[in-house]
């Protein structure tokens, strides 16, 4: 089961108490105070792990508490620190404060860590308070409690290419054709109920990752349909493949479908609307009105976007589309590297 949201409660361990003790040994005159300090409570950490792709394991295990520190002991012995707790989450998990909604951390790389709840400080023993004017303190300090809070976790899948379009536009068929992903494919709306990732092999050890999300419908940015919930999964992508069904039997206007989806992307996020986009006319094997294809081509080219026509079932145009996507991704990565270098250079001067 794909779970991309989970609420958890984390609590750092309580610090151990200090102790009041006095040293009494046969050959040690006036031994004095010897109460040790308490140990520090353990921390709770969130760590990104590429082997995970869902938050399902946290949906049924929402409480994460670190170990308490041990109390101090006599003979100036400090209590043992509490053990930390590491909660593994998928790469791409965002951490929000459940009360304020503030974004606390974005774990976008494997091994990235976030201190979710700090353990409490250990209390001082009476030996810590000894001084020239207070040689036999008879008090100690208790340990402090660890931090405790509720966190909202939201997963954004990491992919190079995102597939968008109306239901039954052919997204699942395309990802099954170009990768090893095997989503459910059927001829009814909302066949895809959860995102799917597929790895596309370009040869020479070059690959890219494609994300397929449930189809969008008009009003998706306001919560209509299923796709609005999963749109965040393509916010990190570098390139969008916008699939439009041009088959005559669909009974839809391909130009209007193209315009509606782009409007929904813009309403959801300006960044999504401005991402590089390749428009792909699908199901050309079922096209019996060529003017449908030409009208869509004219509209897309007028927007300055690349246009391709394919049939994933027949394999027509798919290989060329994959090559174009590979080249486009290389161009985008090169531009991103130049942009990052330009941003770093002034700061280092």
């Amino acid at each position: 089961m794909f779970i991309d949201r989970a609420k958890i409660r984390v609590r750092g361990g309580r610090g151990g108490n200090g102790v009041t003790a006095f040293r009494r040994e046969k050959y040690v005159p006036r031994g004095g105070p010897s109460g040790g300090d308490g140990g520090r409570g353990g921390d709770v950490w969130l760590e990104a792990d590429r082997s995970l792709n869902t938050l399902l394991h946290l949906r049924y295990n929402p409480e994460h508490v670190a170990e308490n520190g041990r109390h101090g002991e006599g003979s100036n012995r400090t209590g043992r620190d509490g053990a930390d707790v590491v909660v593994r989450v998928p790469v791409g998990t965002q951490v929000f404060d459940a009360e304020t909604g503030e974004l606390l951390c974005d774990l976008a790389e494997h091994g990235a860590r976030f201190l979710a709840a700090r353990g409490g400080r250990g209390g001082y023993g009476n030996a810590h308070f000894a001084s020239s004017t207070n040689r036999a303190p008879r008090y100690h300090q208790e340990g402090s409690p660890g931090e405790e809070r509720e966190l909202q976790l939201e997963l954004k899948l990491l992919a190079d290419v995102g597939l968008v379009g109306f239901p039954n536009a052919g997204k699942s068929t395309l990802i099954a054709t170009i990768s090893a992903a095997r989503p459910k494919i059927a001829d009814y709306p909302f066949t895809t109920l959860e995102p799917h990732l597929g790895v596309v092999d370009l040869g020479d050890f070059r690959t890219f990752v494609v994300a397929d999300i449930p189809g969008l419908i008009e009003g998706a940015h306001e919560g209509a349909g299923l796709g609005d919930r999963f749109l965040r999964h393509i916010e990190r992508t570098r390139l969008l493949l916008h699939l439009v069904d041009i088959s005559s039997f669909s009974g839809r206007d391909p130009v209007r479908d193209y315009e509606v989806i782009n409007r929904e992307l813009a309403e959801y996020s300006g960044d999504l609307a401005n991402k590089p986009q390749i428009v792909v006319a699908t199901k050309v094997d079922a096209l019996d009105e060529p003017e449908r294809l030409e009208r869509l081509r004219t509209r897309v080219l007028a927007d300055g976007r690349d246009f391709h026509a394919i049939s994933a079932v027949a394999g027509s145009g798919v290989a060329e589309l994959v090559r174009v996507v590979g080249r486009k991704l290389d161009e985008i990565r090169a531009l991103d590297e130049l942009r990052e270098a330009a941003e770093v250079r002034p700061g280092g001067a």
Side-chain angles (χ1 to χ4, degrees), residues 8-13 42-49 52 57-58 61 63-67 82-90 107 110-117 151 153:
I8 63 173
R9 180 172 291 278
V10 293
R11 186 173 77 237
D43 300 327
V44 179
W45 293 84
L46 301 183
E47 181 175 330
D49 186 338
L52 299 174
H57 63 295
L58 299 179
N61 183 27
E63 299 280 342
H64 301 273
V65 181
E67 185 182 25
D84 293 345
V85 167
V86 179
V87 181
R88 297 188 306 140
V89 298
L107 300 172
H110 175 70
R113 278 188 150 208
F114 170 66
L115 181 57
L151 302 175
L153 307 183

Side-chain angles (χ1 to χ4, degrees), residues 174-243:
L174 177 61
I175 196 173
T177 301
I178 63 178
S179 75
R182 290 296 175 264
K184 184 177 181 181
I185 299 173
D187 188 18
Y188 56 86
F190 304 121
T191 306
T192 301
L193 299 177
E194 59 190 40
H196 296 280
L197 289 180
V199 179
V200 181
D201 186 2
L202 293 170
D204 297 326
F205 304 101
R206 296 170 60 236
T207 62
F208 63 84
V209 179
V210 179
D212 170 28
I213 67 168
L216 304 176
I217 63 174
E218 191 167 7
H221 71 280
E222 298 176 340
L226 299 174
D228 67 299
R229 178 184 167 190
F230 299 109
L231 273 172
R232 66 178 180 279
H233 291 301
I234 58 172
E235 284 186 300
R236 299 182 191 269
T237 59
R238 299 174 184 270
L239 175 67
L240 296 180
L241 284 188
H242 182 171
L243 274 60

Side-chain angles (χ1 to χ4, degrees), residues 125-297:
N126 68 331
H128 190 90
F129 300 103
S131 67
S132 60
T133 57
N134 185 13
R135 301 207 172 182
R138 297 181 177 276
Y139 50 86
H140 61 267
Q141 188 180 47
E142 293 187 352
S144 60
E147 293 180 340
E148 181 176 2
R149 58 181 169 180
E150 198 168 44
L151 302 175
Q152 177 70 43
L153 307 183
E154 296 190 3
L155 174 60
K156 285 186 177 181
L157 295 177
L158 297 181
D160 300 300
V161 179
L163 303 183
V164 297
F166 269 87
N168 284 344
K171 301 186 300 298
S172 296
T173 304
L174 177 61
I175 196 173
T177 301
I178 63 178
S179 75
R182 290 296 175 264
K184 184 177 181 181
I185 299 173
D187 188 18
Y188 56 86
F190 304 121
T191 306
T192 301
L193 299 177
E194 59 190 40
H196 296 280
L197 289 180
V199 179
V200 181
D201 186 2
L202 293 170
D204 297 326
F205 304 101
R206 296 170 60 236
T207 62
F208 63 84
V209 179
V210 179
D212 170 28
I213 67 168
L216 304 176
I217 63 174
E218 191 167 7
H221 71 280
E222 298 176 340
L226 299 174
D228 67 299
R229 178 184 167 190
F230 299 109
L231 273 172
R232 66 178 180 279
H233 291 301
I234 58 172
E235 284 186 300
R236 299 182 191 269
T237 59
R238 299 174 184 270
L239 175 67
L240 296 180
L241 284 188
H242 182 171
L243 274 60
V244 182
D245 181 358
I246 61 162
S247 61
S248 304
F249 66 80
S250 68
R252 306 183 61 88
D253 180 359
V255 173
R256 182 178 183 279
D257 285 357
Y258 164 77
E259 294 172 344
V260 167
I261 294 299
N262 278 309
R263 187 161 58 246
E264 294 301 324
L265 294 177
E267 293 287 350
Y268 180 83
S269 166
D271 291 337
L272 268 184
N274 294 326
K275 279 187 182 295
Q277 183 181 129
I278 296 177
V279 180
V280 182
T282 63
K283 306 182 183 180
V284 294
D285 56 305
L287 177 65
D288 57 8
E289 299 177 48
E291 64 274 11
R292 291 169 62 87
L293 177 62
E294 293 309 314
R295 284 196 303 111
L296 179 60
R297 187 196 307 273

